């Protein structure tokens, strides 16, 4: 796996879930981008940037909320390197979107070479192996043939399918335990072994935390990025991770200067 070599403070934010129903979250994201331009050496967004993404062709006639976000991302990418990742909500993000905003796509997973050492970065849904139904869905929608057939449909057809799938997912999740929807310890340990790292960062689970564990007799750390919601909860929720030569540190939307 080729490393992404990054120097200086790196900012990471995941699970923003931007969409037409999240105007306050979008405003917070715009302010976050402006701060990143001034303080970060690179910005990485490893998945679920959007609450749904039905194909890059939507940017050709982007609705106002999306046009605003794309303009802001383009401005940030003009100042610092920006990397976009694919999550379980926006797995159809592709090269057209990246090119339009001047960003690059994150590989899945990504191995980062930082001032603090090598770090494995991923969205994180691939570790939720106890949720067999979700993993079957993930395998289906990541299949190139399925994606080609889906993208061949009209935008209204794709929107309807996405809304239906989201509704079915929400109903199914209500019947699942939080443990099933969290990462599987064995899958995480295997990822540490496969990639030879001691640090991992991911999102997806909406359970921000720093986990210290032992794998094969060595200390490892798994940092989970927070999700964002400034529209439906009080107080607003969200934040980001900064990686620099001194280590890793969380910053919260409510308390960051």
């Amino acid at each position: 796996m080729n490393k992404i070599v990054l120097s200086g403070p790196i900012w990471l934010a995941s699970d923003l879930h931007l969409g037409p129903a999240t105007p306050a979250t979008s405003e917070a994201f715009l302010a976050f981008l402006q701060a990143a331009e001034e303080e970060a050496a690179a910005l990485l967004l490893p998945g679920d940037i959007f609450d749904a993404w039905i194909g890059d062709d939507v940017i050709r006639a982007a609705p106002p909320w999306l046009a605003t976000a794309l303009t802001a991302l383009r401005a940030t990418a003009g100042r610092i390197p920006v990397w976009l990742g694919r999550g379980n909500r926006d797995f159809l993000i592709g090269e057209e979107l990246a090119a339009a905003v001047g960003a690059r796509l994150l590989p899945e997973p990504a191995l980062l070479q930082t001032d603090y050492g090598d770090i494995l970065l991923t969205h994180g849904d691939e570790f939720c192996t106890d949720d067999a139904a979700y993993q079957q869905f993930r395998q289906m929608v990541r299949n190139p043939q399925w994606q080609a057939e889906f993208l061949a449909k009209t935008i209204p057809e794709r929107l309807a399918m996405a809304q239906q799938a989201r509704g079915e997912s929400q109903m199914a999740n209500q019947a699942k335990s939080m443990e099933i929807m969290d990462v599987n310890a064995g899958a995480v340990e295997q990822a540490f072994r496969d990639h030879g790292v001691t640090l991992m960062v991911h999102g997806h689970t909406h359970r921000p935390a720093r986990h210290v564990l032992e794998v094969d007799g060595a200390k490892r750390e798994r940092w989970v990025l927070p999700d964002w919601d400034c529209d439906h909860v009080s107080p607003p929720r969200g934040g980001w991770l900064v990686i620099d030569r001194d280590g890793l540190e969380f910053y919260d939307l409510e308390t960051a200067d």
Side-chain angles (χ1 to χ4, degrees):
M1 180 189 300
N2 292 329
K3 292 181 181 178
I4 299 174
V5 180
L6 300 166
S7 184
I10 305 161
W11 285 27
L12 301 94
S14 180
D15 297 274
L16 300 150
H17 299 289
L18 301 178
T22 59
T25 305
S26 295
E27 284 298 319
F29 179 59
L30 298 182
F32 166 74
L33 289 178
Q34 291 182 337
E37 290 179 24
E38 298 173 0
E39 300 180 33
L43 173 64
L44 286 71
L45 305 174
D48 281 6
I49 305 163
F50 303 102
D51 197 47
W53 193 258
I54 60 168
D56 286 0
D57 55 340
V58 299
I59 68 177
R60 301 171 197 169
W65 73 268
L66 178 56
T68 299
L70 297 180
T71 298
L73 276 169
R74 190 179 305 113
T76 301
R79 297 279 301 276
I80 60 174
V82 174
W83 298 79
L84 308 179
R86 303 174 182 91
N88 56 296
R89 302 281 190 88
D90 51 14
F91 52 85
L92 287 172
I93 283 177
E95 293 289 354
E96 182 176 352
L97 170 62
V101 299
R104 283 169 279 189
L105 294 179
L106 282 169
E108 305 174 55
L111 187 58
L112 313 180
Q113 180 178 314
T114 76
D115 292 342
Y116 192 66
D118 290 352
I119 297 174
L120 184 69
L121 175 65
T122 177
H123 182 63
D125 57 327
E126 70 271 35
F127 300 137
C128 299
T129 55
D130 293 332
D131 191 345
Y134 170 71
Q135 291 301 325
Q136 290 175 355
F137 171 80
R138 185 180 190 275
Q139 184 177 15
M140 178 186 73
V141 300
R142 296 293 182 117
N143 183 289
Q145 181 178 347
W146 184 94
Q147 293 188 359
E149 292 174 355
F150 180 81
L151 292 172
K153 300 180 184 298
T154 66
I155 288 179
E157 288 174 328
R158 282 180 267 157
L159 280 171
M161 291 177 66
Q163 290 170 351
Q164 179 181 356
R166 182 61 186 145
E168 292 174 352
S169 174
Q170 288 175 331
M171 290 184 63
N173 287 346
Q174 291 176 0
K176 297 176 182 177
S177 69
M178 291 301 293
E179 288 71 22
I180 286 177
M181 292 187 290
D182 202 354
V183 300
N184 173 276
V188 167
E189 291 174 5
Q190 192 59 48
F192 276 118
R193 294 188 186 102
D194 290 345
H195 299 286
V197 295
T198 58
L199 282 167
M200 174 191 301
V201 175
H202 70 81
H204 178 65
T205 64
H206 299 190
R207 293 181 171 189
R210 170 182 174 260
H211 300 273
V212 179
L213 59 155
E214 186 175 296
V215 180
D216 300 334
K219 175 187 171 184
R220 321 278 176 144
E221 292 184 22
R222 176 171 67 92
W223 292 65
V224 185
L225 298 167
D227 65 307
W228 291 42
D229 189 350
C230 302
D231 294 273
H232 308 109
V233 296
S234 182
R237 185 172 65 232
W240 64 97
L241 182 69
V242 174
I243 303 172
D244 60 23
R245 67 181 62 186
D246 297 320
L248 291 73
E249 185 173 358
F250 280 125
Y251 289 83
D252 187 86
L253 279 178
E254 287 295 281
T255 58
D257 293 334

